[in-house]
Amino acid sequence: MPVLKDAMPLMKEPHPLPQAPLPWILPSLFAAFNVVLLVVFSGLFFAFPCRWLAQNGEWAFPLVTGLLCVLTFFSLVSLNFSDPGILHQGSNEQGPMMVHVVWVNQRAFRLQWCQKCCFHRPPRTYHCPWCNICVEDFDHHCKWVNNCIGHRNFRFFMLLVLSLCLYSGALLVTCLIFLVRTTHLPFSMDKAMAILVTVPAAGFLVPLFLLLLIQAMSVSAAQRSCEGKCRYLQGYNPFDHGCASNWYLTICAPLGPKYMAEAVWLQRVAGSDWVPMQNLHFPVCPSVLSPPALPEPGSGPQPQSLSLHKPGKVPSGRGSSPPGGSELLH
């Protein structure tokens, strides 16, 4: 193999210049602002209208709203710091010319090459332009938490939307009950804070309920928000296992091991176990130059093309790929 290695000089891309911190600082600040906003409005609620109800013997309201507040805050923080299912970048030894095909419920998908991560994306895997990562079973990028929603944290996202709906409804009902029971009392700070909490609670309740309804319908049909009208969803969705099974696979099923180890194994640097094969086109990655042709011993100056091939299976992915994640073969 020394002749083959000498015949294939590799050139590495120069390291890109560091980007300005503005693209990631602003989304991070916006996500932190949402957490602070939840804490501030919850503090105003428990300090004024909820305190008045508890002092007058209405302990059911602080107990229910307190549990919902803890659940909402836990799901929000968990989603902020969760792993959506990141597929880490591969090496530059495998290129876009190599074709990998996987089957999902009798449908063939050709894995698409990610130019930025340098590996073939499994089905329903998409490269997020905001996070600059490939996410397994990508649904969407949530700017409210500055994180992608994918295979490994979709259940946290559903829990957050559900808890926000319940918590906003509880805040709205509790504040309205407080205002009704204090109509005979003069205007006070408790009433002002109750009105201040009621307005955002009512404003967020309807959009959150619609979002929960849309996501529930998507889970029931095994669809993803980023897919839109994909070709394989017209008439038959190979990722659809039925409503009950779709909910189990999305919410309750074990997440399983990450793809990181297998993806790195497939994209590792060429070693001694890579075998040369003839009559194949050499895969070209954006950062790898095409190798010069090697003349066959005893023949004329006409070159013969060589390629590298590594036998092995490709991670098939769990189920959902946004547009560009993989291509359906007919």
Side-chain angles (χ1 to χ4, degrees):
M1 297 296 292
V3 178
L4 182 61
K5 291 182 180 179
D6 295 339
M8 293 186 303
L10 301 181
M11 293 185 63
K12 296 183 178 180
E13 280 184 310
H15 294 286
L17 296 177
Q19 297 181 354
L22 186 62
W24 65 268
I25 284 185
L26 288 182
S28 300
L29 291 178
F30 181 70
F33 172 77
N34 294 327
V35 177
V36 173
L37 199 65
L38 176 63
V39 173
V40 169
F41 278 101
S42 299
L44 293 178
F45 169 77
F46 287 106
F48 293 97
C50 191
R51 174 189 55 80
W52 187 92
L53 292 173
Q55 290 176 350
N56 287 270
E58 300 289 347
W59 286 99
F61 295 101
L63 288 177
V64 173
T65 53
L67 291 176
L68 291 177
C69 178
V70 172
L71 179 62
T72 303
F73 187 78
F74 167 77
S75 58
L76 179 60
V77 175
S78 300
L79 187 60
N80 269 280
F81 297 98
S82 62
D83 175 19
I86 301 174
L87 296 180
H88 291 264
Q89 295 186 1
S91 71
N92 294 327
E93 298 301 325
Q94 189 176 7
M97 299 302 295
M98 299 190 70
V99 177
H100 297 286
V101 178
V102 296
W103 288 83
V104 180
N105 287 344
Q106 300 180 355
R107 287 293 183 93
F109 290 86
R110 186 176 66 183
L111 305 187
Q112 298 297 299
W113 175 262
C114 180
Q115 297 289 343
K116 296 184 178 180
C117 295
C118 280
F119 72 96
H120 290 86
R121 295 195 292 261
R124 279 188 156 178
T125 298
Y126 184 69
H127 188 91
C128 177
W130 291 276
C131 299
N132 195 27
I133 55 175
C134 278
V135 178
E136 174 195 3
D137 203 353
F138 182 85
D139 186 81
H140 68 282
H141 179 86
C142 184
K143 296 183 179 180
W144 294 91
V145 297
N146 191 31
N147 197 2
C148 295
I149 308 301
H151 168 60
R152 308 191 71 87
N153 65 352
F154 187 83
R155 57 192 62 182
F156 288 113
F157 174 73
M158 293 294 294
L159 178 62
L160 175 61
V161 177
L162 177 61
S163 59
L164 280 175
C165 285
L166 296 177
Y167 187 46
S168 299
L171 291 182
L172 179 61
V173 171
T174 304
C175 290
L176 291 179
I177 291 177
F178 166 77
L179 292 175
V180 170
R181 294 186 179 181
T182 56
T183 52
H184 62 284
L185 299 177
F187 189 80
S188 62
M189 182 63 68
D190 292 340
K191 287 188 176 182
M193 293 298 104
I195 296 174
L196 183 62
V197 174
T198 302
V199 173
F204 281 105
L205 182 59
V206 175
L208 286 172
F209 178 76
L210 292 178
L211 177 61
L212 180 63
L213 181 61
I214 293 173
Q215 291 295 334
M217 295 174 60
S218 299
V219 173
S220 301
Q223 298 177 359
R224 293 297 175 263
S225 303
C226 60
E227 287 176 332
K229 297 182 178 180
C230 292
R231 290 179 298 170
Y232 63 84
L233 295 180
Q234 297 179 1
Y236 171 66
N237 183 1
F239 304 104
D240 188 5
H241 299 277
C243 181
S245 298
N246 292 337
W247 276 98
Y248 170 76
L249 293 174
T250 304
I251 305 299
C252 305
L255 295 177
K258 297 182 180 181
Y259 279 127
M260 180 180 63
E262 192 169 2
V264 172
W265 169 266
L266 289 173
Q267 306 298 334
R268 61 197 174 89
V269 180
S272 59
D273 54 345
W274 288 73
V275 295
M277 298 185 65
Q278 298 180 357
N279 301 326
L280 292 177
H281 296 287
F282 186 78
V284 180
C285 186
S287 58
V288 181
L289 295 181
S290 300
L294 295 177
E296 190 175 296
S299 62
Q302 296 182 352
Q304 182 180 11
S305 61
L306 294 177
S307 177
L308 295 181
H309 174 73
K310 172 67 174 67
K313 65 178 183 178
V314 179
S316 59
R318 177 175 72 84
S320 329
S321 103
S326 59
E327 181 178 349
L328 177 63
L329 301 181
H330 298 282

